Amino acid sequence: MIPSLPTERPADRPFDPPPALHALPPLARMRYPDGHEGWLATSHAVVRDVLADRRFSSRTDLRHLPIPGLNGSTDPAPPGALISLDPPDHTRYRRVLAGKFTTRRMRLLSERVRAFTEDRLDAMAEQDGPVDLIAALAFPVPAEMIGELLGIPQDERAEFERESAPLFRLGATREELQATSAVLFTYLSGLVTRKREDPTDDLLSDLVHTDLTDQELVMIAFLLLGAGLDTTSNMIGMGAFALLANPDQLALLRAEPGSITSAVEELMRYLSVVPVLVRTALEDIELHGETIKAGEAVTVSIPAANHDPEKFPDPDRLDLRRNANGHVGFGHGIHQCLGQQLARVELEVVLSALFSRFPDLRLAVPPEQVPLRTDMVVYGVHELPVDWKA
Ligand code: HEM
């Protein structure tokens, strides 16, 4: 009997990959919810090989979804949706977009992350009693940064944030997701028109000067929102949770604030908030002693790869002093995260500022009571109640 994708994590080990993954061979057969019999890759070496191999496609119309209820379409991806396109289309969009994440743009964004984070921390400090760190900080910071990238006018940001939220909400129905996407597409189309007429200093305005069509620009804007918000927000939330649950490691970071860059890499490895990526074989492929047939799906488990003891000894231990280079938390190969520089800046700034502002920060509930997002596409916590008062 071919097993399906293991997703269960014991409540007292929220940071470890689902334990059943460890019992599997590096490349195992897996049954998909639609009945397809494909593959599951769990070792670091196999995961990297799959992601680096151009004979595996990212196309949505070829794929089988690995998780029941995953809100992914199996229609062909529209122009501009580069995460679901193969070369040469992918290459063209990737080149244009990567060229706009300039050093100057990154410097402006870093300054904005710093200032906005301080504002949010000021607002937190004024409150009495426990605060949900997700609502107070972890969601607003990346939402603001998407607002900056797209050049959303300041007075429209709060509403844009509210309208985007259902995309990432637990139990949102298919109809709700479609309705939310429709509202956002209408808003983003209007925004693209405004940037064409009256460009401002942001990434979207830079993109209107390229030969991309309005339809492509709207899709790219939507992708930046979809790929850059929920991921970063959950990494901030889970990162704070993991540090609070490992006081010895938090003490190390407090003692050496300059170690935040390598601490963020280790948190990316340890937490692996994107649980799976999926590819489809375009031809028969020999890989690590198995033959993957054309049309078969391969799901790669990011947490399993990042907790492979052959690559990272004692992998289930958060160890801020380890060298976590080579983790696949941002993916690998041609689709490797385009926003990783920005994500790293956000994580470094937010976590450093949070722990320096509140020296007595602690969880306001026992760790087992923190509600985990086991049922979502991106792993994390729904809420993180914290307190800092004596
Ligand atoms: C791609 C993770 C933040 C934009 C990816 C992929 C992963 C990932 C695993 C690879 C997908 C694949 O191979 O199919 C993350 C994590 C983040 C983060 C964990 C936060 C900690 C961001 C941000 C942005 C962004 C802030 C932009 C604002 C993108 C885009 C792609 C991508 C556009 C597609 C690239 C392509 O197909 O060439 N991300 N990401 N991500 N990410 Fe991120």
Side-chain angles (χ1 to χ4, degrees):
M1 171 75 179
I2 299 182
S4 50
L5 178 73
T7 51
E8 233 160 87
R9 310 191 192 219
D12 61 338
R13 312 274 315 160
F15 308 118
D16 296 354
L21 286 169
H22 290 310
L24 295 169
L27 186 55
R29 299 296 322 216
M30 175 186 140
R31 183 178 302 281
Y32 287 65
D34 64 1
H36 175 72
E37 287 176 10
W39 300 89
L40 171 60
T42 55
S43 77
H44 187 266
V46 178
V47 166
R48 272 178 73 106
D49 284 353
V50 170
L51 294 177
D53 193 325
R54 302 262 185 120
R55 293 172 299 170
F56 287 107
S57 169
S58 288
R59 276 169 51 187
T60 38
D61 54 329
L62 299 178
R63 78 179 169 184
H64 297 274
L65 297 168
I67 303 174
L70 190 73
N71 283 304
S73 164
T74 47
D75 296 336
L82 66 152
I83 199 163
S84 307
L85 296 171
D86 293 341
D89 295 337
H90 170 266
T91 324
R92 184 167 74 87
Y93 294 119
R94 173 99 190 185
R95 203 167 284 150
V96 174
L97 212 49
K100 302 298 175 198
F101 278 86
T102 55
T103 314
R104 175 178 167 274
R105 173 94 30 239
M106 283 310 302
R107 185 170 40 75
L108 291 175
L109 288 171
S110 324
E111 284 164 13
R112 184 68 197 136
V113 177
R114 262 173 246 286
F116 186 77
T117 301
E118 291 304 330
D119 287 351
R120 299 303 306 182
L121 293 174
D122 290 345
M124 246 175 91
E126 279 169 18
Q127 298 190 45
D128 278 328
V131 161
D132 171 19
L133 196 72
I134 305 302
L137 189 68
F139 189 79
V141 173
E144 178 70 10
M145 297 323 288
I146 301 293
E148 289 288 309
L149 278 178
L150 302 182
I152 294 177
Q154 276 297 343
D155 58 353
E156 295 171 20
R157 288 200 187 174
E159 198 183 339
F160 180 72
E161 208 181 289
R162 250 195 323 278
E163 280 172 351
S164 311
L167 282 186
F168 314 112
R169 203 173 50 219
L170 173 68
T173 61
R174 222 184 158 68
E175 290 71 39
E176 274 178 300
L177 288 171
Q178 275 167 357
T180 301
S181 304
V183 169
L184 289 173
F185 268 100
T186 307
Y187 177 79
L188 292 172
S189 306
L191 192 64
V192 166
T193 309
R194 284 190 278 167
K195 298 297 168 191
R196 279 212 193 278
E197 284 162 6
D198 185 13
T200 40
D201 188 3
D202 49 70
L203 185 110
L204 189 58
S205 298
D206 287 352
L207 287 172
V208 301
H209 300 304
T210 63
D211 58 5
L212 294 171
T213 65
D214 281 7
Q215 193 202 359
E216 290 168 326
L217 288 169
V218 171
M219 201 51 233
I220 287 170
F222 190 74
L223 175 64
L224 292 174
L225 169 72
L229 179 47
D230 206 30
T231 45
T232 315
S233 160
N234 279 291
M235 260 311 292
I236 295 172
M238 276 305 257
F241 183 21
L243 288 167
L244 291 170
N246 287 275
D248 59 324
Q249 296 299 305
L250 180 54
L252 277 180
L253 184 60
R254 285 191 195 282
E256 292 169 30
S259 66
I260 185 68
T261 305
S262 56
V264 162
E265 278 332 282
E266 168 64 351
L267 286 168
M268 281 294 304
R269 177 201 74 80
Y270 182 66
L271 298 168
S272 301
V273 294
V274 173
V276 288
L277 300 174
V278 197
R279 299 291 191 264
T280 309
L282 291 171
E283 55 187 84
D284 289 359
I285 298 168
E286 301 287 330
L287 197 76
H288 292 258
E290 303 283 1
T291 304
I292 298 171
K293 299 227 174 66
E296 285 185 335
V298 182
T299 291
V300 306
S301 169
I302 302 294
N306 281 341
H307 287 245
D308 178 346
E310 291 210 2
K311 173 72 181 168
F312 301 107
D314 199 2
D316 296 345
R317 196 160 71 85
L318 177 68
D319 176 3
L320 299 189
R321 292 218 157 114
R322 92 162 74 222
N323 177 356
N325 290 349
H327 72 74
V328 287
F330 285 117
H332 180 63
I334 59 169
H335 291 279
Q336 196 183 62
C337 183
L338 191 62
Q340 58 187 289
Q341 241 183 310
L342 174 59
R344 286 189 172 101
V345 169
E346 292 185 50
L347 286 165
E348 288 177 21
V349 168
V350 172
L351 292 173
S352 301
L354 172 69
F355 289 107
S356 89
R357 174 73 74 100
F358 300 113
D360 295 320
L361 194 77
R362 60 186 180 278
L363 290 177
V365 295
E368 320 74 73
Q369 284 177 23
V370 174
L372 299 169
R373 293 173 37 124
T374 44
D375 35 14
M376 305 291 281
V377 182
V378 178
Y379 187 56
V381 294
H382 290 295
E383 278 175 26
L384 192 68
V386 293
D387 210 343
W388 55 89
K389 308 232 163 69

